[in-house]
Amino acid sequence: MTSSYTGGSASSRRRTPLGALVAASGISSLGMAATLVAVPWFVLHSTGSGTRTGLVATAEVLGLLCSAVLAGPVVDRLPVRATSVGADLLTASAIGLIPLLHAWGALPLPVLIVLVFLVGAARGPSDTSKQLLLPGAMERAGVTAERATGAVEGARRIGMMAGAPLAGLLISTAGPVRTLFADLAAMAACALVVATLVPATARPRPVADGPRGSYTQELHFGIGQLRRDRLLGAMVGVLMLTNALDGALNGVLYPAYGTQVLRSSALFGAMVTAMGAGALLGAALYGWAGHRLPRRAVFVGAFVLVGAVRCAALAAEPGATVLLAVLALSGIGSGIVSPLMMSVAYERVPEAVRGRVFGLLVAAALAATPLGMLGAGLALDAAGLVPALLGTGALYLTVTLAPLVFPVWRELDSRAPAERAEPPAELRSPAPAVQAP
C-alpha cells in the first residue's frame, strides 16, 4: 500500500501525514462517542435491564484492556500503517454487524457482547499504531512532540464533545441501532485517511528489527523495558491511581451530584461540556507553549486542577455559574496531562518496543478504573456525597504531590532521547542493536 498524496507545496506535503493523524484522532473519537451513547441506550431501551446494559458496557472495556496488554508484540512486528488500517476496518466490521444482525432478528445478548468486545479489542491496536506513526509524521512536519501530541489530544476532545450530542440527535431521529452506522462510517473514514495520506515509512529513520523471540518473551521484554525506566514506572503508578479516582468522579459522583444537588439533567450536561471545553483549551495551550515550560511543575499543576480543585468545588456546592467556570478551569489541566505524558513516552521509550509499552500504558489507565467506581459507590452509600467528594479530592491531592517528594520525578525536566533497548540473553541475535530515533 503506498501513499497517494501529491501536489501542493513541499511544506504542505511535509505536514500532510501529521494533519491526517490529527484528523483521524478526531474522527475516531467522534464515532467512539456515538457508540458509547448508542449501544447502552439500545440495550436499556430493548431489554429494560440495567444489569445487561452494564455487561455490554463492560465487554468493550475488557476488550480494550485485553488488546492493550496482549497486542503489543504483534503491533511491534507488523507494518504499522497496515495495522492501523486493518484495525479500523475490523472495528467498522464489528460495529456494522450489530444493526445488520438486529434487522435479521439474530442479535441475542451473548452475540452483542461478543461484537462489542471485538470493537474494544480492535480499538487497542488501532490507537497504538497511530501513536507509532506519529513520531515520523511530526519529524517530517518539523514540529515538537508537545505540539503534535497537543494537536492529537485537541482533535480527540473535539470528537468526543461532538460525538455525544450527535448521537443523541441521531438516536431521536433514526434510533440507536442505526446510529451505529455513524461509528462505522467514522472508522472507515479513519482507515481511508491513514491509508491515503500517511506514508508507510512514517518512521523518522530506518530502525533495525527489535529483539525477536516467542510471543511470551517479547511481551515480557516490553514489561521489563517499562520496569527499567523508573520515571515511566512512577508515571504508570500515578496514571493508575488518578484514573481510578477519575472513574469514581465520572462514573459515580458526577451523576450523584447531578441528581442530588443540581436536580437538572441540563446542568449535568453543562458540567460535562465545561470540562470538555476546558480540556480542549488545555491541549491547545500545551501544544503552543509546552516545549518551553518545566514539565514537573506543569504536571503537578495540571493534576491539582483536575483533582483537588474540582472535588473541592463540587463539595462546596456553589452556584451554577461559578461551578461551570471552575470545571472549565479543571478541564484545562485534563487537556494538558495526556499530551505531556505522551511527549515523555516518545522520548524515553525505544521505537522497537513502543507498541508493547504504549499498550501497557493504556492498560494501566484502564485497570483500576472499575475499582475506583466501586469504591466511590461504597463511600457514597456509607458517608454521603460531600464526604465522598472530599475524600476523593484528598486522595487525588496526595497522589498529585508525589512528583514534588520523590527525586525520580526530576527526570521529567530532562528531555533526553530514548536509550537503547537491550534484550535479555534469550532474545539476542547477531543482528545490530536497536537504536532509538
Side-chain angles (χ1 to χ4, degrees), residues 301-331:
F303 270 117
V304 167
L305 290 176
V306 174
V309 169
R310 178 167 45 147
C311 290
L314 291 168
E317 299 182 6
T321 302
V322 174
L323 175 64
L324 295 179
V326 174
L327 290 178
L329 181 64
S330 297

Side-chain angles (χ1 to χ4, degrees), residues 81-144:
R81 188 182 68 171
T83 303
S84 174
V85 173
D88 287 343
L89 292 177
L90 177 60
T91 305
S93 299
I95 292 169
L97 282 173
I98 296 175
L100 289 178
L101 291 177
H102 176 70
W104 296 337
L107 189 64
L109 183 65
V111 174
L112 177 60
I113 289 175
V114 170
L115 290 175
V116 172
F117 180 88
L118 286 176
V119 169
R123 287 195 193 276
S126 170
D127 292 342
T128 300
S129 58
K130 290 178 181 62
Q131 290 172 342
L132 300 186
L133 286 167
L134 188 60
M138 65 192 187
E139 182 166 312
R140 181 187 295 266
V143 303
T144 63

Side-chain angles (χ1 to χ4, degrees), residues 2 6 9 11 16 27 41 60 63 92 107 111 119 122 178 193 222 294 320 322 353 364 368 392:
T2 59
T6 56
S9 67
S11 176
T16 295
I27 296 169
W41 193 291
E60 183 171 1
L107 189 64
V111 174
V119 169
R178 292 180 180 176
V193 166
V322 174
V353 295
T392 302

Side-chain angles (χ1 to χ4, degrees), residues 136-164:
M138 65 192 187
E139 182 166 312
R140 181 187 295 266
V143 303
T144 63
E146 287 81 2
R147 289 193 174 180
T149 55
V152 169
E153 177 68 8
R156 187 183 74 84
R157 296 284 182 172
I158 292 173
M160 293 296 291
M161 289 174 62

Side-chain angles (χ1 to χ4, degrees), residues 41-109:
W41 193 291
F42 163 67
V43 177
L44 191 59
H45 179 74
S46 59
T47 68
S49 171
T51 301
R52 293 185 177 187
T53 304
L55 285 173
V56 172
T58 302
E60 183 171 1
V61 176
L62 288 177
L64 179 57
L65 180 60
C66 290
S67 69
V69 174
L70 301 177
V74 178
V75 174
D76 279 332
R77 284 191 174 192
L78 296 177
V80 66
R81 188 182 68 171
T83 303
S84 174
V85 173
D88 287 343
L89 292 177
L90 177 60
T91 305
S93 299
I95 292 169
L97 282 173
I98 296 175
L100 289 178
L101 291 177
H102 176 70
W104 296 337
L107 189 64
L109 183 65

Side-chain angles (χ1 to χ4, degrees), residues 333-391:
S334 177
I336 289 172
V337 167
S338 180
L340 189 157
M341 295 183 77
M342 286 308 302
S343 297
V344 175
Y346 281 126
E347 290 176 359
R348 301 183 70 92
V349 179
E351 184 174 354
V353 295
R354 281 179 182 164
R356 279 159 277 182
V357 174
F358 287 6
L360 292 170
L361 291 176
V362 173
L366 294 172
T369 301
L371 295 178
M373 293 179 178
L374 177 61
L378 295 173
L380 182 64
D381 290 340
L385 179 59
V386 171
L389 286 168
L390 292 175

